[in-house]
Amino acid sequence: MTQQNAQSNDVQFALQRIYVKDISFEAPNSPSLFQQPFKPKVKLDVDNGFTKVADNVYEVVVHVTAQVFNGEEQATAFLAEVQQAGLFTISGLPETQLDHTLNAFCPNILFPYARECIDNLVNRGSFPTLMLAPVNFDALYAQKQQKQKADA
């Protein structure tokens, strides 16, 4: 067995837990907003980060903020925010692969849960369903890498 094969056998990846770290929903202009025609305009912000919590254990958090305005007046219909988190055990990866895993692979796992949570909040606020499109965290990671290289 070559050294490379031995190293690849030592890689471990395990998802320990998925949970909501923080959640918020505001509908500042209700109930008057419900008396008007609803013409939504969506502003979406997505970000992610991670923290090492123990040896080979990382908390990865995906932050999703959806702010929806009604019509031309730009009155906020609602603001939904979720921090969807997960605990991951990861070992045996080179530093560059670990960085990619924590900033792209793990957020790709967590985002569907954040999207469902946002949709549930919006539904509970009695607004029409807001089904967010998938986010390509691999592309976001590549953009961050290019920006860091350009800044250096």
Side-chain angles (χ1 to χ4, degrees):
M1 182 182 296
T2 68
Q3 184 178 5
Q4 185 178 12
N5 287 341
Q7 287 177 345
S8 67
N9 290 339
D10 293 335
V11 172
Q12 293 183 352
F13 179 89
L15 173 58
Q16 292 182 9
R17 180 173 300 233
I18 295 176
Y19 55 98
V20 173
K21 188 169 181 97
D22 191 18
I23 193 168
S24 173
F25 181 82
E26 301 172 30
N29 294 306
S30 61
S32 63
L33 183 69
F34 300 133
Q35 306 303 313
Q36 306 166 17
F38 191 56
K39 298 175 185 168
K41 293 188 179 172
V42 179
K43 178 184 174 207
L44 182 66
D45 291 316
V46 178
D47 198 10
N48 63 283
F50 68 89
T51 306
K52 185 173 184 174
V53 295
D55 284 344
N56 301 324
V57 179
Y58 301 87
E59 178 189 54
V60 178
V61 181
V62 173
H63 308 261
V64 180
T65 303
Q67 186 170 9
V68 175
F69 303 95
N70 189 34
E72 298 302 320
E73 298 170 13
Q74 296 297 309
T76 299
F78 63 84
L79 175 69
E81 296 177 286
V82 171
Q83 290 184 18
Q84 188 71 50
L87 277 179
F88 296 87
T89 301
I90 306 169
S91 65
L93 288 177
E95 198 62 36
T96 55
Q97 286 182 330
L98 178 63
D99 190 58
H100 180 264
T101 299
L102 292 169
N103 285 295
F105 186 75
C106 293
N108 277 324
I109 292 171
L110 296 173
F111 184 75
Y113 294 92
R115 183 173 61 186
E116 187 274 332
C117 194
I118 292 280
D119 187 49
N120 188 283
L121 287 171
V122 170
N123 187 25
R124 288 175 181 261
S126 84
F127 290 94
T129 300
L130 177 67
M131 212 40 193
L132 303 176
V135 173
N136 185 342
F137 286 95
D138 289 306
L140 292 177
Y141 179 73
Q143 288 174 354
K144 285 180 184 178
Q145 295 296 96
Q146 287 176 348
K147 186 177 186 313
Q148 286 176 352
K149 286 179 183 176
D151 291 345

